[in-house]
Amino acid sequence: MPPRPTRAVLGLLPPALLFALITWQVAADGPLLRPDERLSRALVHPDRASELLADLGEVQVAVPVLVLVAGYVAWRGRAAGGERWWAPSLAALAVMVLVPLVVVPLKVWTDRPGTPAVPPATGYYPSGHTATAAVAYGAAALILLPWLRTVFARWLALATSALLVLAVSFGLVRRGYHWPLDVVASWCLCTVLLGALWLFLERERRARERLRTAAGRPCQTGAPRPSTRTTRTSDPSASRPYRGARKPQDTP
């Protein structure tokens, strides 16, 4: 069986391949777009609630959440005196920066038009709002996990992150801002990005554990340690007086 990091990397292949497949279909106007359009027509029902849910994926809403959590995690790490306390927060922010660097060129290249519910325009694939929400809320949960004391708190953080992403995704499709495949493709893309972040955080955690273990070991030197136990010699006179010896007489 391959080691755990290798299995994790292999686990990122399915979403990466699915993302490549959807991108190819969108760029080539493939047959997968027909059921996508039919599903969109069945789901679109613009209302105020769906619009508010979609707004949770705005950069002005999601990114500040990540920045606040990253600042808190960095502060906690520095206060605890941890090695490379800044690394988790910096990595999470770096993944957030990657989102527009990947999404914007894809929007320009695929040039996909929007749904009938929005004004005529292009550049809707993949969904930037979904990607922003997934990376911002997902990365915030991942870097916060080590500082949560209970299993319930950790599960609550992950569940809250997932619910926010699903809410944004539903709002975007329901409002007609995006086709369903635009959202699914962003899920796949962000699964790869967050998976890479998780692998980095795991490597940092193992490195800190090795440093703590090494710091707790006694210093090893080439010289032998002096013995702290009293050793007996083979000469009985060295350990006790000779039984036959006479006591010295008191002198007047």
Side-chain angles (χ1 to χ4, degrees), residues 135-174:
V135 170
Y137 300 134
L142 287 178
I143 63 175
L144 189 61
L145 287 182
W147 302 102
L148 301 177
R149 296 185 177 181
T150 65
V151 175
F152 174 77
R154 297 187 188 102
W155 277 109
L156 182 61
L158 292 174
T160 301
S161 170
L163 286 175
L164 286 172
V165 175
L166 290 176
V168 171
S169 303
F170 174 79
L172 291 170
V173 175
R174 185 73 168 172

Side-chain angles (χ1 to χ4, degrees), residues 59-212:
V59 172
Q60 297 86 344
V61 177
V63 173
V65 173
L66 175 59
V67 171
L68 288 175
V69 173
Y72 171 77
V73 169
W75 171 72
R76 287 290 302 271
R78 184 176 182 181
E83 295 287 339
R84 291 169 57 88
W85 51 267
W86 43 266
S89 298
L90 184 61
L93 294 175
V95 173
M96 188 73 253
V97 172
L98 283 177
V99 170
L101 297 180
V102 175
V103 170
V104 172
L106 283 172
K107 285 179 174 290
V108 175
W109 177 55
T110 55
D111 200 31
R112 189 181 191 187
T115 71
V118 294
T122 58
Y124 281 86
Y125 177 88
S127 169
H129 280 63
T130 304
T132 299
V135 170
Y137 300 134
L142 287 178
I143 63 175
L144 189 61
L145 287 182
W147 302 102
L148 301 177
R149 296 185 177 181
T150 65
V151 175
F152 174 77
R154 297 187 188 102
W155 277 109
L156 182 61
L158 292 174
T160 301
S161 170
L163 286 175
L164 286 172
V165 175
L166 290 176
V168 171
S169 303
F170 174 79
L172 291 170
V173 175
R174 185 73 168 172
R175 179 60 180 79
Y177 287 145
H178 278 285
W179 304 98
L181 278 183
D182 300 344
V183 172
V184 174
S186 289
W187 289 351
C188 296
L189 172 63
C190 294
T191 298
V192 175
L193 293 178
L194 292 176
L197 174 62
W198 179 81
L199 288 174
F200 174 81
L201 296 176
E202 279 292 295
R203 190 185 69 176
E204 288 290 311
R205 181 185 63 81
R206 290 193 296 269
R208 288 192 297 268
E209 288 180 352
R210 287 194 296 268
L211 287 174
R212 285 196 297 266

Side-chain angles (χ1 to χ4, degrees), residues 27-44:
D29 194 20
L32 197 59
L33 300 189
R34 307 292 87 80
D36 183 42
E37 294 170 357
R38 289 195 297 269
L39 180 61
S40 176
R41 287 193 295 268
L43 294 177
V44 169

